[in-house]
Amino acid sequence: MKTEIQPAQGKLGILIPGLGAVATTLIAGVEAVNKGISKPIGSHTQMGSIRLGKRTENRNPKIKDFVPLANLNDIVFGGWDVYSDNVYEAAMKAEVLEPGLLFSVKEQLEKIQPMPAAFDKNYAKNLDGTHVKTGTRLELAQQLMEDIQNFKEQNGLDRVVVLWCGSTEIYYEASDVHSTLAKFEEGLKNDDHLIAPSMLYAYAALKLGVPYINGAPNLTVDTPALIELAHQTQTPIAGKDFKTGQTLMKTILAPGLAARSLGVRGWFSTNILGNRDGWVLDDPDNFKTKEVSKLGVLEDIFKPEDNPDLYGDIYHKIRINYYPPHGDSKESWDNIDIFGWLGYKMQIKINFLCRDSILAAPVALDLALFTDLAKRAGMSGVQEWLSFYLKSPQTAPGLPAENDIFKQLIKLENTLRYLMGEDLITHLGLDYYEDVFAKQLDTL
Amino acid sequence: MKTEIQPAQGKLGILIPGLGAVATTLIAGVEAVNKGISKPIGSHTQMGSIRLGKRTENRNPKIKDFVPLANLNDIVFGGWDVYSDNVYEAAMKAEVLEPGLLFSVKEQLEKIQPMPAAFDKNYAKNLDGTHVKTGTRLELAQQLMEDIQNFKEQNGLDRVVVLWCGSTEIYYEASDVHSTLAKFEEGLKNDDHLIAPSMLYAYAALKLGVPYINGAPNLTVDTPALIELAHQTQTPIAGKDFKTGQTLMKTILAPGLAARSLGVRGWFSTNILGNRDGWVLDDPDNFKTKEVSKLGVLEDIFKPEDNPDLYGDIYHKIRINYYPPHGDSKESWDNIDIFGWLGYKMQIKINFLCRDSILAAPVALDLALFTDLAKRAGMSGVQEWLSFYLKSPQTAPGLPAENDIFKQLIKLENTLRYLMGEDLITHLGLDYYEDVFAKQLDTL
Amino acid sequence: MKTEIQPAQGKLGILIPGLGAVATTLIAGVEAVNKGISKPIGSHTQMGSIRLGKRTENRNPKIKDFVPLANLNDIVFGGWDVYSDNVYEAAMKAEVLEPGLLFSVKEQLEKIQPMPAAFDKNYAKNLDGTHVKTGTRLELAQQLMEDIQNFKEQNGLDRVVVLWCGSTEIYYEASDVHSTLAKFEEGLKNDDHLIAPSMLYAYAALKLGVPYINGAPNLTVDTPALIELAHQTQTPIAGKDFKTGQTLMKTILAPGLAARSLGVRGWFSTNILGNRDGWVLDDPDNFKTKEVSKLGVLEDIFKPEDNPDLYGDIYHKIRINYYPPHGDSKESWDNIDIFGWLGYKMQIKINFLCRDSILAAPVALDLALFTDLAKRAGMSGVQEWLSFYLKSPQTAPGLPAENDIFKQLIKLENTLRYLMGEDLITHLGLDYYEDVFAKQLDTL
Amino acid sequence: MKTEIQPAQGKLGILIPGLGAVATTLIAGVEAVNKGISKPIGSHTQMGSIRLGKRTENRNPKIKDFVPLANLNDIVFGGWDVYSDNVYEAAMKAEVLEPGLLFSVKEQLEKIQPMPAAFDKNYAKNLDGTHVKTGTRLELAQQLMEDIQNFKEQNGLDRVVVLWCGSTEIYYEASDVHSTLAKFEEGLKNDDHLIAPSMLYAYAALKLGVPYINGAPNLTVDTPALIELAHQTQTPIAGKDFKTGQTLMKTILAPGLAARSLGVRGWFSTNILGNRDGWVLDDPDNFKTKEVSKLGVLEDIFKPEDNPDLYGDIYHKIRINYYPPHGDSKESWDNIDIFGWLGYKMQIKINFLCRDSILAAPVALDLALFTDLAKRAGMSGVQEWLSFYLKSPQTAPGLPAENDIFKQLIKLENTLRYLMGEDLITHLGLDYYEDVFAKQLDTL
Ligand SMILES: NC(=O)c1ccc[n+]([C@@H]2O[C@H](COP(=O)([O-])OP(=O)(O)OC[C@H]3O[C@@H](n4cnc5c(N)ncnc54)[C@H](O)[C@@H]3O)[C@@H](O)[C@H]2O)c1
Ligand SMILES: NC(=O)c1ccc[n+]([C@@H]2O[C@H](COP(=O)([O-])OP(=O)(O)OC[C@H]3O[C@@H](n4cnc5c(N)ncnc54)[C@H](O)[C@@H]3O)[C@@H](O)[C@H]2O)c1
Ligand SMILES: NC(=O)c1ccc[n+]([C@@H]2O[C@H](COP(=O)([O-])OP(=O)(O)OC[C@H]3O[C@@H](n4cnc5c(N)ncnc54)[C@H](O)[C@@H]3O)[C@@H](O)[C@H]2O)c1
Ligand SMILES: NC(=O)c1ccc[n+]([C@@H]2O[C@H](COP(=O)([O-])OP(=O)(O)OC[C@H]3O[C@@H](n4cnc5c(N)ncnc54)[C@H](O)[C@@H]3O)[C@@H](O)[C@H]2O)c1
Ligand code: NA
Ligand code: NA
């Protein structure tokens, strides 16, 4: 039975706190795609297809033809940043896309001026931007709500999502002020510095029923207070941290090793990158937030407590090194110590010459389109089916996260099938071999 | 509803044509495990577990505790080879396992003397063994059937499987003589040289209702004649080619790239290995068989015809280089040229310092145990659910092979769940978020 | 005492058989450097310096300021090719340099039209160009001589060198026709097909006293006949095969291992490249020529006969794979199996993401400038001091080649010092530690 | 003219502070070599040869046959450590050599009991051994002198060298107490904690005229005070830090790049190792000492001030990661960003699967043998000709270190030739091409 989903009529606003490398790559890309210059490679919503029915039915529509998503032509971008560069200038500085490509969408990009940010330097010491709002936390939140509403009106938008592409904040854990919505709102009033800037954006969005996506490993909406708010206003949330690069690789490879019951003794991951994100992460407090986000994935996939012989003693180490020569061309090198039959040792080395923002931009796009879909489908709170895109997926309280990218993919696909009233797929397929059970079927 | 499966009572014989590196590693390993010296790492039947029911039920039995498999203690090994070395000698020459380990199971290994092989040098020119049977192809097949029956009687076995671990034969395609069982049997009589040695073992096994597993990329049972025979005698078959090393990696990684709609422009795979398998594959005719087996996997996973923008122009090249310094420590190096958002290029390099036979042995074991299970469960013919273990899986005629290891895993697991009457798993999991649909559920 | 060297007055013509990737990268680069757009990185004559006198004298002039070389502004380029594309077109097709850079020197490049080639398709089957001369080998040689003289006159040149940047020819060994100049000239008359096209260019050049540089592994001037001619006309020759990429790495690394008496058991080298050079080398006959050129280097450096314990059993294997996705961005991967103290094994893996023509162009330039210098310094025949630049250096008959790049460098530098009357450098340097021998000096 | 060198008569004691991985690998190895079980691979004194005279003379004696070195059979080992394990126990714990090999020299190794160490935990916080001497620094130094003399007498030795294989101390710079011998001896009396433990060993050795080798990056003898003492007692010193692994590679590769005037933009070096050395270096203060030692090498080789276009902006970063799964099998991964012709970018990646102590042991041996030679040849103070073996070579004050391993090698070889009265080698070799200068020679 098909779910009732409101159609994707009118325009969708994507409002982005943090108009840096990822955001500008996303925006320039969507403009280039809309102009027919480039293709939205890496965006599963735009390029991917989904199998429906039995293998032999040959029904493999593109996802965007299967579920009612906003059209790329109907997207309007806006955002906030602590630097006042417009999106064209910021994109040029980010040095992700070639000047030639950016030039061809210059007009569109120059129009997008960041609104002043809600910022607190304690949460990102390596940043020195001054394009910021002033006021108590409550006042900042109210200004952000006004920003959102003005943006919606001025652009004649039907719907909005807020997509955090801002820097990684320093590491902090949930405390009392984050435990209930009431306490949180009290904290806003008291300008409680335990409320991080990202939470102000999230609060503003959710309060208005606008979905919030957390592309960084920041705590933000992974707190009881804001989950409560999300349910109150029937609004979807998704997070944390876009899954790209090394972690993407890890959640591809680790399930493969686990599938074969190959043991793992150590996993060493190092990264070199030279963009602003790398510079912010050069501060140990900000790195810690990222490290926690990255470290979790293996444990969930390998389940050491269930498989002590195979995964009970993994030494997992992650390093991020700021290395300017590479700019946004993040490179990772992994050494994985595995063991097989009778404990014999083997090694896998993976060298990924990736481009950070090139991988992140389509993920950001898909999350924006899917949370908008979720809102229209009446889904609210944590959207676990989107964990496919996330390094450190938020789940229902008490439920362990699923990090295996293939299980995440099935979850995503079966959710779409479910929403559209199609059969879920189990890959059983014994029916192609009916004679297989010939003897037994006779006796049934 | 649970399938009726005969219990795994008594002893299981595993008869192996080709007592080389893989076979001796398998045999020595099972003996070492039975002595409590080592662990059967890499064997999913022995070490792996399977989730049953909902995530929160926490039901994750070991596979061997869930389905009725033969116990490792109940296995008796035997085999054929063109060289007369006993298994201890052959294992020492293969240089896969350390002398110390082999010494500890010397007694068991020395007892296993290969029976003379059914062999034809035209199918493997680099081999010069002389421990071979004589006679026409029909006579050879009859001798093999006697070998199997004698082995069963002499060892008081309940059941037998035949597990091909022999060399890769030269490349040949199915011809008229392989098209029906009648023509095949006619060919046996005429000593038709288009019938490969491996087919004689397969014929002998199937004729006796003994499952046949094809660990090499040889055509063998992937022919109408022998499939016909398999159905006639209600016998399972599985093939082709143990999935290990580079292809294992490829079928792990490629689905990950496809999941994210990342484009692929080229995939260069090279291998260096110095064991006897490498020596046989140094002959271009034998390499061709392996190459065909290895080349297919990407096409199936990427479906270029459905995704021309992403996968329509992949240059896929595979090289195997005989390189004695590495012995059985096969090493692979892959360079993968991918592209993402707006067509921007990235590269992945994978260097796998693997050990060929260490990866293959547990795969061989699992295939033996699962085909024996299949036989007892009344399944016959091609066992597609075992494609998880195979480089070039045999399927129902006309049905495209599934090479994505994660789909193969779900297929395997859901088959086991199905056999045992458990719910199939879809990873939908929306029920954990019931409130998600709160609004909608109200209106339904 | 300083050698008498004629000054580098007037203009130097560089005439190039083969206006492909390397040649066009060289030409475009020199033009760009002359325009002040780029720097001639990788050219030791232009960027390198040389230490003179004692370390503490701090005399480190640039090489071009130390020895009298032709100035880049005084170079005029010309050449021949079997395709009629002008240098701008050929450079665009080669896809080595960015269109933007090429555009900035378009005017200069378009002017250079290749003269029709002396060609024989039997020597390069994968080429299908038709811009070729006709006639017997003698007639072709005469036409080439006319080409050279016309070019010199029309451009008002003072001196010319001929620089082979043509394709690698198929493998052939010296035969009777190459054994003396008389027999060679007889062969020209008889249109003997054992005389390769490259030899016609070499003959034409040397006959006119014009230095000949062999950038390919072709036999060409490594024959008694042409060496005889070189001496007759007092003309320098240099060859074979520009040393770049993997072989460059090998002759850097191998001396380092040898210096430390680390043993080597195997060296596996594979390459992927997708340019026209790669396409020509995809033909086994042409590959053989390259393979021979590349294989020699280790033997000379490791001297297995003198060091059997360390280097007596090296398995050295080289592969070149045509792989279009990489174009001119040749990539190499080496696995080196070494052993140290007590025979313990270690491995080194080198992955060089290089650009073939970017490495070759400055080597070609330096060879042209240095052979011109040699001519003016009265040096003739084989110039062993230039082996620094060559994969398979030609030497005096009977003299083993020196492949250690560091010995080659000292040889080059001490030759320059010698020519200019400077002290040779021995790196002894005990004089800085005079007191070292205090005791002994007293007793002397 | 040949230097007067006292013969290597009688026995040589090698006394080692720090009987850890390197030292026990050295000792066990020498014993195994003396028993004829293994070969001293990696020891240039034992396995290497040296060319004498002209290339065509074919004089390439083994170094040990050319210069009068102590014979391995005449070596007696002893040492100190903060742990009381005998050398057999320590070697077993270090897990560098296989138990089987160690077992075969167990008797010899067990005899070697460490003497209590002169230690100060402030210099290596991660160590917790208690097998230590007590007293003021002066008393400790005196105890060490007694240790040396007792050891010499009890073993009937002719000569002794002290070879530091102890841990890397925390970073400290030379201060007033290290500025003259007088102040240093005053400091000993005052138990000045700025005098590091390693200095006590060095002081004790030099005072007795016993050569001191500094295998760690510790400051120790790189101080005016101890250099003064070395000259006073006519004693050679050598340091700092055995050159192995990544730095060995770096000083092989960097000269190769510089030779070709290839530019370098970045060099990222990471290491993973899991031995006790790695554990000590996990403390940032101790890592700093190592980092300084490792960072210097590129600057000297590339001379950025002379070559700003090529090497003026190198980002050089070094990481050492404690990673237990690898034990002593240290592994390094380097990414090098280079640029060539016209500034085009290329990358080199080096993955060295090395074994730390296997590389270090023969270096330690050679240094011991060569300093003993130097002593007998009347050389005293800093032995720059041994910088071939050292990561951070000590030089005459004001003289820049030479890190290019090939210049270091020539320096070493020409020093040996000089000592033995052989011609120094310049690799000029123009004499093989006498006709080259035919014309000119006529005119001379
Ligand atoms: N592959 C990827 O690039 C990737 C993957 C996963 C997650 N992420 C995360 O995405 C985020 C963006 O990455 P990026 O590479 O674009 O970084 P970036 O540094 O280029 O951009 C971040 C921008 O956020 C701005 N900013 C910081 N705090 C702000 C605030 N309170 N309000 C408004 N703007 C603020 C900064 O000024 C900056 O311009 C980072 O948190 C990063 O960790 C990136
Ligand atoms: N990872 C792996 O090792 C791996 C993976 C996939 C497939 N395989 C395949 O498994 C097979 C065995 O591999 P291996 O490494 O053990 O090779 P191997 O060469 O060590 O052993 C093969 C043995 O088969 C014997 N043989 C050949 N023809 C025979 C015949 N007609 N009858 C009886 N014996 C015969 C040979 O004498 C040899 O001893 C090969 O076909 C290989 O391609 C191996
Ligand atoms: N790093 C390097 O690129 C490198 C290194 C060492 C040697 N080389 C050698 O340099 C040569 C040139 O390399 P490339 O990459 O420029 O190759 P390319 O294929 O781009 O260019 C070679 C050109 O030579 C022309 N040619 C062939 N035969 C000819 C003839 N008889 N007369 C005139 N022209 C002829 C071809 O048409 C082609 O245009 C090759 O032999 C190559 O093996 C190149
Ligand atoms: N490739 C290499 O292994 C390599 C290369 C260059 C330098 N080094 C240096 O060589 C040294 C030894 O390396 P290792 O791998 O053998 O380390 P290790 O930790 O195995 O051994 C060092 C030993 O020194 C002892 N020690 C520490 N302080 C001492 C003191 N004051 N007196 C006596 N003993 C003391 C420790 O207890 C330990 O047993 C280290 O400084 C290391 O940095 C090693
Ligand atoms: Na690192
Ligand atoms: Na290859």
Side-chain angles (χ1 to χ4, degrees), chain D residues 17-23 80-83 94 117-120 124 127 164-169 197-198 201 215-218 241-245 275-277 280-281 290 328 330 355-357 359-360 391:
Chain D
L19 294 167
V22 173
W80 300 264
D81 207 291
V82 306
Y83 296 97
F119 185 60
D120 177 347
L127 292 180
W164 175 272
C165 292
S167 308
T168 298
E169 296 175 334
S198 64
Y201 292 95
N218 304 334
D241 212 2
F242 302 134
K243 174 146 87 177
T244 57
N275 56 14
R276 193 190 286 163
D277 187 31
V280 169
L281 294 173
K290 200 64 155 189
D328 193 70
K330 187 183 200 165
R355 290 163 174 267
D356 229 16
S357 304
L359 289 174
K391 216 172 264 168

Side-chain angles (χ1 to χ4, degrees), chain D residues 108-122:
Chain D
Q108 288 74 22
L109 303 192
E110 274 182 343
K111 272 190 219 143
I112 311 173
Q113 253 340 107
M115 297 177 274
F119 185 60
D120 177 347
K121 202 174 157 62
N122 292 315

